[in-house]
């Protein structure tokens, strides 16, 4: 219910999906897919990436997927979607960088980021 992960950031689902399929995403990663919002790419469903993660027993329970895109009822595992304000609107998700530490606290309903430079960034409650 509470975890700290390391950010892996992608600006489109296709790049993120390739990273999952090529085994570049590792346990302990927080996979960010941004610019998939209505003004970005039109808000397609993140189905293929969530299925690729769920199909990998090592990743299915050890990473999180965070996006300003959308999910459907088929999504499984730790997934946070519809993050707003979205990256294309200049929302905080646009500030996340590879290597940032991501703290997810589900009971407190918070997602916070500590940048690789030690500066804390709050995504939203």
């Amino acid at each position: 219910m509470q975890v700290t992960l390391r950010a892996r950031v992608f600006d489109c689902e296709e790049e993120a999906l390739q990273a999952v399929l090529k085994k570049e995403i590792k346990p302990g990663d927080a996979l960010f897919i941004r610019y998939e919002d209505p003004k970005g790419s039109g808000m397609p469903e993140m189905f293929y990436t969530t299925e690729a993660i769920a199909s990998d027993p090592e990743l299915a329970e050890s990473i999180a997927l965070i996006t300003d895109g959308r999910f459907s009822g088929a999504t499984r595992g730790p997934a946070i979607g519809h993050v707003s304000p979205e990256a294309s609107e200049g929302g905080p998700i646009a500030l996340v960088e590879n290597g940032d530490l991501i703290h997810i606290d589900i009971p407190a309903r918070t997602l916070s980021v500590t940048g690789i430079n030690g500066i804390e960034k709050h995504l939203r409650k």
Side-chain angles (χ1 to χ4, degrees), residues 62-122:
S62 65
I63 73 167
L65 172 59
I66 302 162
T67 183
D68 53 11
R70 69 180 175 92
F71 298 117
S72 74
T75 301
R76 297 179 283 167
I80 300 169
H82 302 265
V83 173
S84 68
E86 298 88 350
S88 64
E89 290 286 319
I93 193 171
L95 301 175
V96 178
E97 299 175 69
N98 282 317
D100 285 352
L101 294 178
I102 311 305
H103 182 71
I104 301 169
D105 184 336
I106 294 173
R109 299 178 49 94
T110 60
L111 175 63
S112 59
V113 178
T114 302
I116 52 177
N117 57 8
I119 296 173
E120 190 162 323
K121 312 165 189 177
H122 290 282

Side-chain angles (χ1 to χ4, degrees), residues 35-77:
Y35 300 103
E36 294 290 6
D37 55 271
K39 289 186 178 179
S41 67
M43 205 158 195
E45 181 187 355
M46 302 290 109
F47 177 77
Y48 294 111
T49 303
T50 57
E51 279 303 304
I53 292 167
S55 299
D56 184 321
E58 186 175 38
L59 296 182
E61 303 211 8
S62 65
I63 73 167
L65 172 59
I66 302 162
T67 183
D68 53 11
R70 69 180 175 92
F71 298 117
S72 74
T75 301
R76 297 179 283 167

Side-chain angles (χ1 to χ4, degrees), residues 1-48:
M1 299 295 276
Q2 297 176 335
V3 67
T4 299
L5 306 167
R6 187 160 309 276
R8 292 293 311 275
V9 182
F10 298 89
D11 290 340
C12 70
E13 184 191 16
E14 294 78 13
E15 291 174 2
L17 176 59
Q18 287 306 307
V20 172
L21 295 175
K22 291 177 180 177
K23 306 287 187 195
E24 295 170 358
I25 303 302
K26 305 292 182 201
D29 284 343
L31 180 61
F32 278 80
I33 305 174
R34 58 190 181 190
Y35 300 103
E36 294 290 6
D37 55 271
K39 289 186 178 179
S41 67
M43 205 158 195
E45 181 187 355
M46 302 290 109
F47 177 77
Y48 294 111

